[in-house]
DNA sequence: ATGGTTGTATAACAA
């Protein structure tokens, strides 16, 4: 079984690349973030022809998360139970969707960006991660053998090796101590990064800004992660970051992250 | 040069 996560940055503008990623990696499950469309706008025709089912949660042009699966989609959950909204008045956001696919509970997660340190969105980001940690801790408490994958765009570089220049990020989000602590708290709850052992750093990234020729200059960030529960982590036999997908005209600014299970 | 690029509800936007 093979599962990938990818911040696609608009599924409508990149459906051909989505089909290519599914085929190239022989994916059973693809978790997407930033689909940037409502449920009724999702381009499903080619996917259905290839035997894939869809669970999508999209409300507007900004967010949107999806699960594409050819091994079934059961018990779909729109958001995790304690997930907070954002804004004034507080509005729900399409940043998490969960389902059981082929016996694995998968979550496609689009963690809030944070925008700027101490911006209201930054505090929302930390609250969002704290509530995810609390819920995920409960899932493992209910069933220590649960096979759960928390995967997506975390908008956090957990270590200095995960950014191209530490000095550049001073005073910016994604690398601050509270964000890194929030990420580590989920690791401490029992969810381990199953990709890093197969893609050791530094200099290994999943995201490159569109501007400033960041990709050809190899100036990226590792911010997309697949965190697995203990029972699922023990099944992982391989993982890779599909840097090739970032090349060429019409690429997303993120690369797919692919995990292979026994 | 608070600059560049890309997405879409084309905005005094979000990423």
């Amino acid at each position: 079984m093979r599962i990938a996560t990818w911040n696609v940055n608009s599924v409508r503008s990149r459906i051909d690349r989505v089909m290519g990623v599914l085929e190239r990696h022989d994916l059973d499950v693809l978790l997407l973030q930033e689909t940037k469309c409502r449920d009724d706008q999702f381009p499903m025709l080619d996917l259905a022809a290839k035997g894939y089912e869809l669970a999508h949660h999209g409300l507007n042009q900004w967010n949107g998360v999806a699960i594409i699966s050819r091994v079934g989609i059961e018990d779909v959950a729109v958001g995790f139970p304690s997930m907070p909204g954002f804004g004034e008045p507080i509005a729900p956001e399409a940043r998490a969707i969960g389902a059981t696919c082929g016996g694995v509970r998968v979550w496609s997660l689009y963690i809030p960006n944070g925008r700027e340190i101490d911006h209201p969105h930054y505090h929302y980001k930390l609250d969002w991660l704290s509530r995810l940690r609390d819920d995920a801790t409960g899932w493992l408490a209910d069933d220590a053998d649960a096979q759960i994958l928390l995967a997506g765009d975390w908008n956090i570089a957990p270590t200095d090796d995960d950014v191209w220049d530490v000095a550049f990020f001073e005073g910016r989000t994604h690398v601050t101590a509270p964000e890194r602590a929030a990420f580590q708290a989920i690791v401490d709850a029992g969810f381990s990064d199953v990709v890093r052992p197969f893609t050791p750093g530094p200099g290994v990234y999943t995201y490159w800004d569109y501007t400033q020729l960041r990709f050809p200059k190899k100036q990226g960030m590792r911010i997309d992660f697949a965190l697995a529960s203990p029972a699922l982590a023990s099944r992982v036999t391989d993982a890779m970051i599909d840097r090739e997908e970032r090349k060429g005209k019409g690429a997303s600014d993120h690369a797919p992250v692919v995990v292979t299970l026994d």
Side-chain angles (χ1 to χ4, degrees), chain A residues 194-228:
Chain A
V194 294
V195 177
R196 188 176 292 263
F198 296 93
T199 60
V204 176
Y205 307 127
T206 65
Y207 163 85
W208 299 261
D209 195 298
Y210 281 129
T211 69
Q212 303 286 355
L213 299 174
R214 294 292 185 217
F215 182 68
K217 286 152 75 172
K218 304 187 188 306
Q219 297 177 337
M221 309 170 73
R222 171 143 56 172
I223 57 177
D224 299 85
F225 296 94
L227 306 188

Side-chain angles (χ1 to χ4, degrees), chain A residues 29-42:
Chain A
V29 180
L30 175 59
L31 309 173
L32 296 177
Q33 300 86 39
E34 281 202 80
T35 58
K36 291 190 170 179
C37 67
R38 301 184 309 267
D39 293 346
D40 61 288
Q41 296 173 311
F42 198 101

Side-chain angles (χ1 to χ4, degrees), chain A residues 44-100:
Chain A
M44 195 53 209
L45 196 60
D46 292 346
L47 289 163
K50 297 284 187 183
Y52 287 98
E53 297 175 273
L54 171 70
H56 180 248
H57 177 41
L59 301 171
N60 54 39
Q61 65 173 311
W62 303 123
N63 310 315
V65 280
I67 300 169
I68 294 168
S69 171
R70 66 179 182 193
V71 291
I73 297 183
E74 300 172 352
D75 300 323
V76 174
V78 170
F80 52 88
S82 302
M83 184 180 139
F86 180 72
E88 188 58 48
I90 293 171
E93 292 204 302
R95 293 186 176 274
I97 188 167
T100 301

Side-chain angles (χ1 to χ4, degrees), chain A residues 1 3 29 71-72 74 99-107 146-149 229 232 235 261:
Chain A
M1 184 166 174
I3 305 174
V29 180
V71 291
E74 300 172 352
T100 301
C101 303
V104 178
R105 186 67 180 170
V106 295
W107 285 92
Q147 299 191 48
I148 304 171
L149 189 70
S229 63
L232 185 64
R235 290 183 56 193
L261 309 171

Side-chain angles (χ1 to χ4, degrees), chain A residues 136-148 229-231:
Chain A
T137 298
W139 301 333
L140 279 188
D142 291 342
D143 178 7
D145 296 323
Q147 299 191 48
I148 304 171
S229 63

